Amino acid sequence: MDTMGRHIIAELWDCNPEKLNDMEFVERLFVDAALQAGAEVREVAFHKFAPHGVSGVVIISESHLTIHSFPEHGYASVDVFTCGDRIDPTIAAHYIADGLDAKIRENVEIPRGMGPVEVPAAKVQHVN
């Protein structure tokens, strides 16, 4: 293993606002994303804000997945952090972006535990 973990920071734009504001949907999506990546889910905590927005975390044995949604902007801020080299965080990140119908996706992957961090440029994907 070259790193302690891999951290995907995903900026998701032009998402389905109804999905972003549906706490039960987002919670299920995140648990399913963790399972799709082969992670072991430990704890789940989500909160619905008024009048809109959802924040939450899925704690996995390998680290965590988090979201802060802004339905009024069609935007979600997502982190997928996995320790070790058994789990690929990009699987979960893509699953989440697909589930939220994100049309613009910016992903940055940061290797964790290697010393000084150099943040690479975002990989932008436009989905039609």
Side-chain angles (χ1 to χ4, degrees), residues 3 5 7 12 22 24 41 66 79 105 111 115-116 118 122:
T3 67
H7 191 161
L12 305 179
D22 183 337
E24 289 79 18
V41 175
T66 64
D79 286 356
R105 305 157 182 209
E118 288 188 34

Side-chain angles (χ1 to χ4, degrees), residues 83-96:
C83 297
D85 55 5
R86 187 180 72 80
I87 303 294
D88 181 353
T90 60
I91 293 170
H94 289 304
Y95 188 89
I96 291 164

Side-chain angles (χ1 to χ4, degrees):
M1 175 172 54
D2 294 337
T3 67
M4 298 263 193
R6 296 167 62 194
H7 191 161
I8 303 290
I9 297 171
E11 297 282 283
L12 305 179
W13 291 97
D14 292 334
C15 298
N16 180 321
E18 291 178 9
K19 289 182 176 182
L20 288 175
N21 207 36
D22 183 337
M23 186 183 79
E24 289 79 18
F25 173 82
V26 173
E27 182 176 325
R28 180 81 253 153
L29 178 67
F30 269 66
V31 169
D32 289 347
L35 296 173
Q36 286 290 318
E40 183 178 336
V41 175
R42 293 296 186 163
E43 293 187 40
V44 177
F46 281 77
H47 178 79
K48 172 81 168 72
F49 293 95
H52 38 65
V54 172
S55 289
V57 61
V58 173
I59 304 296
I60 57 177
S61 294
E62 302 80 8
S63 198
H64 67 270
L65 295 80
T66 64
I67 185 171
H68 299 286
S69 79
F70 301 83
E72 70 277 24
H73 299 291
Y75 168 74
S77 171
V78 172
D79 286 356
V80 180
F81 181 20
T82 60
C83 297
D85 55 5
R86 187 180 72 80
I87 303 294
D88 181 353
T90 60
I91 293 170
H94 289 304
Y95 188 89
I96 291 164
D98 289 344
L100 294 173
D101 303 329
K103 292 181 182 59
I104 301 173
R105 305 157 182 209
E106 295 179 290
N107 288 345
V108 174
E109 181 174 334
I110 300 172
R112 303 301 299 267
M114 297 204 34
V117 174
E118 288 188 34
V119 179
K123 295 176 184 170
V124 179
Q125 177 185 16
H126 295 268
V127 178
N128 295 325

